[in-house]
Amino acid sequence: ASHTALLNLIAMPPAFLDACLSDNSSEAERLLGVPLDPELFGRKDLLGRRLQQIQEEPDYQPWSLRAIVLRETNEMVGRIGFHTRPNPDYLAALAPNAVEFGYEIYTPFRRRGYAEEACRGMMTWASQQPGVERFVLSISPQNTPSLRLAEKLGFTRIGEWMDEEDGLE
């Protein structure tokens, strides 16, 4: 697990993802060691996709999803993770030697700085890994809080595209 001043960024192992996909929340909580926010179970598509990636490419595991856990209370406040390992083909033209990541802070925990701290923690970890020189975020033009955070983190707009699941980013 990685950590920041306030947060633990705990890797979600395959057994945990499988328990979530099977609606076995008590087993999932046991495996992760923290109570789970119900919002996590609303993203089974994402959990299933990441589990499949780990099964197909075990080296992806450390890049995959992590729970964002408030250390002081042991509450899961969100999730964060990289979409792939570094330097995937789909980023080669726009951002070579990059890795894309995404995050979500659950509704009751928003506007407290957890997203910024978790992003900085993951970027620090990833920048210590071979082959990572830059980072990519894909954000909806309507997601003002994430756009502001990206700007605060030093990101600049490099393009836009239509995501099959999320629309314009």
Side-chain angles (χ1 to χ4, degrees), residues 63 82 86 99 121-133 135:
W63 298 91
F82 295 97
V99 64
M122 288 297 281
M123 291 167 63
T124 297
W125 174 83
S127 66
Q128 297 166 354
Q129 309 307 311
V132 177
E133 295 176 11
F135 299 93

Side-chain angles (χ1 to χ4, degrees), residues 37-83:
D37 190 285
E39 285 190 56
L40 177 67
F41 295 96
R43 291 303 313 267
K44 285 190 175 180
D45 57 329
L46 174 69
L47 301 177
R49 196 165 51 248
R50 297 301 181 244
L51 177 60
Q52 184 178 356
Q53 281 178 271
I54 293 168
Q55 290 168 338
E56 292 173 359
E57 187 182 4
D59 289 347
Y60 169 64
Q61 166 82 53
W63 298 91
S64 188
L65 292 171
R66 296 183 190 205
I68 303 171
V69 177
L70 188 57
R71 187 177 305 113
E72 187 176 311
T73 61
N74 203 39
E75 290 175 280
M76 183 176 179
V77 301
R79 60 161 176 80
I80 193 165
F82 295 97
H83 296 200

Side-chain angles (χ1 to χ4, degrees), residues 21 23 26 48 69 81-82 93 111-112 124 129 131 141 148 150 160:
L21 292 167
D23 289 319
S26 61
V69 177
F82 295 97
R111 311 285 185 271
R112 299 185 194 179
T124 297
Q129 309 307 311
R148 282 191 189 128
E160 65 180 36

Side-chain angles (χ1 to χ4, degrees), residues 85-167:
R85 291 177 47 214
N87 207 22
D89 291 342
Y90 79 96
L91 290 178
L94 279 175
N97 299 314
V99 64
E100 181 178 6
F101 70 99
Y103 57 87
E104 178 183 19
I105 300 297
Y106 300 137
T107 307
F109 303 101
R110 292 181 181 159
R111 311 285 185 271
R112 299 185 194 179
Y114 300 144
E116 180 180 356
E117 188 167 330
C119 288
R120 288 188 189 282
M122 288 297 281
M123 291 167 63
T124 297
W125 174 83
S127 66
Q128 297 166 354
Q129 309 307 311
V132 177
E133 295 176 11
R134 55 184 60 90
F135 299 93
V136 173
L137 290 171
S138 297
I139 303 169
S140 163
Q142 284 75 44
N143 188 342
T144 303
S146 281
L147 291 170
R148 282 191 189 128
L149 175 57
E151 187 177 317
K152 191 175 188 180
L153 293 170
F155 284 81
T156 57
R157 183 178 171 171
I158 59 170
E160 65 180 36
W161 53 85
M162 189 63 67
D163 183 276
E164 292 176 9
E165 292 177 32
D166 300 324

Side-chain angles (χ1 to χ4, degrees), residues 20-36:
C20 289
L21 292 167
S22 303
D23 289 319
N24 190 344
S25 58
S26 61
E27 177 65 3
E29 287 183 358
R30 185 191 70 75
L31 288 165
L32 206 61
V34 300
L36 303 180

